[in-house]
Amino acid sequence: MINIQNLSLRAGVKPLLDSANLAIHPGQKIGLVGQNGAGKTTLFRAILGQVTIDAGNLGMPAEWVIGYVEQETDAKQQTVIEYVSFGDELYAKAIASLKKAEAEHNDNAIVAAYDQLDKLHGYAVENQTKQLLYGLGFSEEDFSKSIDAFSGGWQVRLKLARALMQRSDLLLLDEPTNHLDIEAVSWLKQWLKSFDGAVLVISHDRDFLDQVVQGIAHIDNQKINFYQGNFAAFERQRNERLMQQQALHDKQKQQMQHLKTFISRFKAKASKAKQAQSRVKALERMEMVAAVQASNPFHFEFAEPKSQPDPMLKIENLSFAYPDKPIINEANLTLRSGDRIGLVGVNGSGKTTLLKLIVGELKPVNGKVISARGVKVGYFSQHQLETLRPEWSPLKHLLALEDAPSDQQARDFLGGFGFSNEQCLESIAPFSGGEKARLALAIIVFQEPNLIILDEPTNHLDMETRDALEMALNDYSGALLLVSHDKHLLASIADQYWWVHQGMVELFYGDLDQYLSEQLKRIKQSAEAQKQMEGADDANKSQNKKQQRIENANLRKQLDQLIKADLQRSRKLEKELDKAQGKLGKLHQKMEDSSLYDDANKDELSQCLQQEADCQALIEALEMEWMEVEETIQAKRDEFESGL
């Protein structure tokens, strides 16, 4: 396991972590959360050995392989298949050895290379690569293209796919969903659930964390606090902890006031001077318990629309095509007052193009968009941050709008979006992406639209701002049109979905879970069809390989007999693990009931917590024993292979 003990990290002179502790066990999946700038990415870089540790210890098994998404790549001319499959470094080395042996016409080296590929199950790598690519939204025609043929966002997907191909013991993922559509995010959740290694993932997507992780590491006040369970369990446990902290704080305030009153009354009296002095010391020694702060520093709301024409707009026979690709063909839709529409479809299907046609940034080839009189659109595009003026301050951005507020009104308004008086006057050039996104939202909110169109608004937002945005949108009575890969936000806001696919835009009859289920089924069917098409070719390759090695059926039977008992033990442990994990799941479900935390149920809560701890300990013990049995089986197989 990775053992972080008393770790201290800095970013320049700014302390990020101070005596922080965390343990990451084999196979454990942990979400790393905390406010922007808390040190999450710096911790990743420390694990990778890219930054110097100021104090403490970061212990890691020497044999562990850490997988991560590369920031830059020099392989721009490689094909997609090569680039992603070579994320498996052992496979890449074996292929390199094979190519070298073939170039040198070295028969012995060729046989050795094929042997190495066999041990690595190398003939399955290309198919695994293609399944990864299908899941992340690539088509078969993309596989032979070079990396530099793709835009920046799609190159980020390729880097993620390459990271997932690594034979890693620990996978580090920093906001992996930011450049994915909701369909690819759904697929990634399933992939990570089946991944055998450990995962440490930074994410502000609560639904993603709820589905993937079994623990939350929260960076707060330069410490790392670990919570068992998914993000929902973390919120429940942390709220309980904060409530207890508030109660302790209130009690301590009473004690301190009592001490101060005693000191004030009696410190001047000789007969009480000694007792008063002891209370002064007690007051000095008393550890201050911080009061619970408001859980979210951001709060804003959209004004009630002054008018809501119905229908707000109509799309009639709308068609659009880029020079090399048709996008939308004869779409007919109506957006009515109060509609809350989620726009879904894989990346490249035309969602953003449709929004640009609606707001007039693009002109249709045929058809038209008819807006009702009085429609006022608030539009947040994927590239909204680029429309801000870097040299301007937040205050200047607001004062430059039509119907600009007074200076003080603008400052008060920006304060609701987390901008202090000092920040209101600063140039936004050094602002983070999250701060710029908050400013862009503030500008939209101020203009009081009756139709809000949001295209991936959460890409740069932290959890607190996402929550504030969700609450504001839920309270908004105007019409909404939303594109987002954040399932939690989309499911919370939209009550109907427009599906963009194969040039069509049509109403999807079902909820978001039904839509995603259908898309996952489609991805699996595509991957399975490709697998069947390549089956014959793989069989031929396998046969050629086998002809270069001496098969011995009797030895195979001996091996089966040799590992039979171990395999039986492994299966038994797996059943016990399933049973224990099922029990743990039921406990977590029970602990979701808020009434369990009432004073009357303290004993039952204690029993649940004890059972949870016992269950977790049992699971860890079973996992360790299962791993030992699997290692024994593999060792026997390796010994057999070396004897062939």
Side-chain angles (χ1 to χ4, degrees):
M1 71 176 184
I2 290 182
N3 195 14
I4 297 170
Q5 293 182 319
N6 299 318
L7 186 71
S8 295
L9 290 174
R10 290 178 175 270
V13 297
K14 179 186 176 182
L16 298 176
L17 295 177
D18 181 26
S19 300
N21 299 280
L22 179 67
I24 306 171
H25 299 278
Q28 191 175 25
K29 296 176 175 62
I30 297 174
L32 185 62
V33 302
Q35 291 186 344
N36 287 346
K40 303 184 293 295
T41 299
T42 304
L43 178 59
F44 270 23
R45 296 179 64 200
I47 293 173
L48 291 168
Q50 296 175 352
V51 297
T52 303
I53 294 171
D54 293 299
N57 181 55
L58 201 162
M60 187 185 315
E63 69 278 7
W64 266 33
V65 175
I66 299 180
Y68 63 99
V69 178
E70 300 170 339
Q71 295 300 310
E72 300 294 336
T73 178
D74 297 325
K76 293 295 182 73
Q77 299 305 314
Q78 274 188 328
T79 66
V80 165
I81 285 289
E82 287 177 331
Y83 175 71
V84 175
S85 63
F86 286 178
D88 183 341
E89 293 184 4
L90 296 178
Y91 172 76
K93 288 177 181 178
I95 291 295
S97 297
L98 177 60
K99 288 182 177 180
K100 180 181 177 182
E102 288 176 338
E104 296 173 351
H105 303 288
N106 186 333
D107 292 339
N108 290 333
I110 290 173
V111 172
Y114 275 119
D115 284 346
Q116 181 63 17
L117 281 170
D118 183 36
K119 289 180 181 180
L120 297 173
H121 304 289
Y123 292 101
V125 168
E126 187 169 319
N127 187 55
Q128 291 170 359
T129 301
K130 290 179 178 179
Q131 290 188 44
L132 273 177
L133 292 168
Y134 281 129
L136 291 174
F138 292 89
S139 63
E140 188 175 352
E141 63 185 25
D142 294 327
F143 297 166
S144 57
K145 294 179 182 178
S146 62
I147 305 302
D148 57 5
F150 293 89
S151 65
W154 284 94
Q155 287 188 20
V156 172
R157 290 194 186 208
L158 289 172
K159 291 175 184 177
L160 174 60
R162 183 179 170 93
L164 299 183
M165 278 301 297
Q166 298 174 56
R167 297 175 186 249
S168 50
D169 300 283
L170 170 65
L171 189 56
L172 300 179
L173 297 175
D174 191 347
E175 293 287 0
T177 65
N178 265 6
H179 293 275
L180 304 182
D181 50 46
I182 194 168
E183 294 84 359
V185 171
S186 184
W187 174 88
L188 180 60
K189 291 175 193 173
Q190 300 301 319
W191 191 93
L192 289 174
K193 285 180 184 179
S194 63
F195 176 61
D196 291 332
V199 176
L200 187 61
V201 56
I202 299 171
S203 180
H204 294 300
D205 186 330
R206 63 177 66 236
D207 183 77
F208 179 80
L209 292 173
D210 274 341
Q211 295 296 319
V212 172
V213 306
Q214 302 97 27
I216 295 290
H218 180 219
I219 299 181
D220 184 38
N221 292 324
Q222 300 171 24
K223 304 293 184 185
I224 302 176
N225 300 307
F226 183 76
Y227 298 81
Q228 289 282 2
N230 59 13
F231 189 81
F234 154 71
E235 285 193 306
R236 183 188 67 244
Q237 294 174 63
R238 184 165 182 261
N239 287 341
E240 177 71 16
R241 178 178 171 182
L242 290 175
M243 289 171 65
Q244 291 173 349
Q245 183 178 336
Q246 182 67 61
L248 180 58
H249 172 74
D250 292 342
K251 182 178 180 181
Q252 192 171 62
K253 280 177 64 178
Q254 292 178 357
Q255 293 174 337
M256 291 177 68
Q257 187 58 46
H258 177 75
L259 289 173
K260 288 177 180 178
T261 301
F262 186 93
I263 292 166
S264 174
R265 287 179 59 193
F266 298 115
K267 66 180 178 181
K269 293 186 177 181
S271 61
K272 297 287 185 178
K274 188 174 181 179
Q275 294 94 321
Q277 189 60 36
S278 69
R279 282 161 174 75
V280 169
K281 292 180 179 179
L283 190 60
E284 291 172 349
R285 289 194 302 267
M286 184 175 287
E287 179 182 357
M288 295 293 292
V289 177
V292 177
Q293 301 298 317
S295 60
N296 195 337
F298 309 117
H299 176 74
F300 55 90
E301 58 187 18
F302 294 94
E304 185 71 19
K306 295 176 181 177
S307 66
Q308 297 194 58
D310 188 22
M312 303 199 83
L313 59 86
K314 287 187 176 182
I315 297 171
E316 294 183 352
N317 300 318
L318 189 69
S319 296
F320 182 84
Y322 292 107
D324 61 336
K325 184 181 181 183
I327 299 294
I328 295 173
N329 182 37
E330 296 188 352
N332 290 278
L333 297 157
T334 300
L335 180 66
R336 308 194 70 89
S337 173
D339 276 354
R340 309 173 71 81
I341 295 168
L343 204 57
V344 295
V346 298
N347 273 13
S349 60
K351 300 189 299 294
T352 295
T353 298
L354 178 62
L355 298 185
K356 289 182 176 180
L357 288 165
I358 290 174
V359 299
E361 286 190 5
L362 292 175
K363 300 299 180 185
V365 174
N366 289 305
K368 54 188 175 180
V369 177
I370 305 171
S371 295
R373 180 179 298 177
V375 170
K376 190 174 184 180
V377 178
Y379 176 44
F380 186 104
S381 73
Q382 284 196 39
H383 305 289
Q384 189 70 25
L385 307 195
E386 297 171 12
T387 66
L388 300 174
R389 300 284 293 270
E391 69 277 11
W392 284 14
S393 67
L395 184 63
K396 189 171 182 178
H397 276 91
L398 217 57
L399 295 178
L401 298 174
E402 291 184 19
D403 301 323
S406 69
D407 185 283
Q408 189 57 52
Q409 286 173 330
R411 290 180 187 232
D412 292 342
F413 183 79
L414 290 167
F417 288 82
F419 295 105
S420 64
N421 277 328
E422 293 77 14
Q423 283 182 306
C424 284
L425 301 175
E426 295 173 359
S427 159
I428 70 167
F431 280 17
S432 69
E435 289 169 326
K436 291 176 181 176
R438 277 193 273 123
L439 175 58
L441 282 171
I443 293 171
I444 291 173
V445 172
F446 180 79
Q447 295 179 83
E448 300 185 356
N450 52 20
L451 169 58
I452 296 175
I453 298 176
L454 303 175
D455 191 358
E456 295 291 1
T458 64
N459 273 351
H460 299 282
L461 301 182
D462 57 21
M463 195 79 74
E464 291 79 11
T465 314
R466 289 186 187 206
D467 288 345
L469 175 62
E470 179 190 336
M471 292 179 66
L473 290 174
N474 272 320
D475 289 339
Y476 178 62
S477 63
L480 287 168
L481 192 52
L482 172 66
V483 175
S484 179
H485 65 265
D486 186 327
K487 181 185 174 186
H488 176 82
L489 179 67
L490 195 56
S492 299
I493 300 304
D495 53 25
Q496 59 177 302
Y497 298 93
W498 287 357
W499 182 21
V500 185
H501 66 112
Q502 298 177 340
M504 297 183 292
V505 186
E506 57 187 4
L507 182 65
F508 180 81
Y509 294 95
D511 60 20
L512 190 57
D513 284 328
Q514 289 172 310
Y515 169 76
L516 292 174
S517 177
E518 287 189 15
Q519 297 309 305
L520 282 175
K521 189 184 297 181
R522 179 188 58 78
I523 292 169
K524 290 177 182 177
Q525 287 172 345
S526 297
E528 187 60 33
Q530 180 67 23
K531 186 176 179 181
Q532 290 175 0
M533 288 173 61
E534 296 174 349
D537 185 45
D538 287 344
N540 291 333
K541 289 180 180 178
S542 179
Q543 185 61 34
N544 291 336
K545 169 188 66 65
K546 290 177 182 177
Q547 289 173 359
Q548 297 177 59
R549 300 188 62 196
I550 299 174
E551 293 274 329
N552 192 318
N554 290 330
L555 284 178
R556 291 286 182 189
K557 291 179 181 178
Q558 290 175 19
L559 173 64
D560 290 341
Q561 190 61 37
L562 186 64
I563 64 175
K564 182 178 180 182
D566 295 315
L567 286 172
Q568 289 175 343
R569 179 59 181 157
S570 176
R571 294 190 189 103
K572 183 178 179 183
L573 288 169
E574 287 173 352
K575 290 180 180 178
E576 292 176 3
L577 264 172
D578 288 341
K579 183 178 178 182
Q581 288 167 344
K583 182 178 179 181
L584 184 62
K586 291 179 180 178
L587 281 170
H588 284 162
Q589 187 176 4
K590 183 177 181 180
M591 292 169 72
E592 292 290 338
D593 185 356
S594 58
S595 66
L596 187 63
Y597 299 90
D598 295 339
D599 288 341
N601 297 322
K602 281 199 297 186
D603 290 342
E604 187 178 359
L605 174 60
S606 297
Q607 289 177 0
C608 281
L609 291 172
Q610 183 60 53
Q611 289 172 3
E612 181 189 39
D614 292 343
C615 227
Q616 197 64 50
L618 175 60
I619 288 171
E620 291 179 3
L622 289 170
E623 286 177 341
M624 290 299 294
E625 186 177 353
W626 178 82
M627 288 175 62
E628 289 173 1
V629 172
E630 287 295 308
E631 286 173 0
T632 300
I633 293 171
Q634 190 59 49
K636 291 178 179 180
R637 283 177 172 155
D638 290 344
E639 184 178 356
F640 163 76
E641 293 287 355
S642 64
L644 284 180

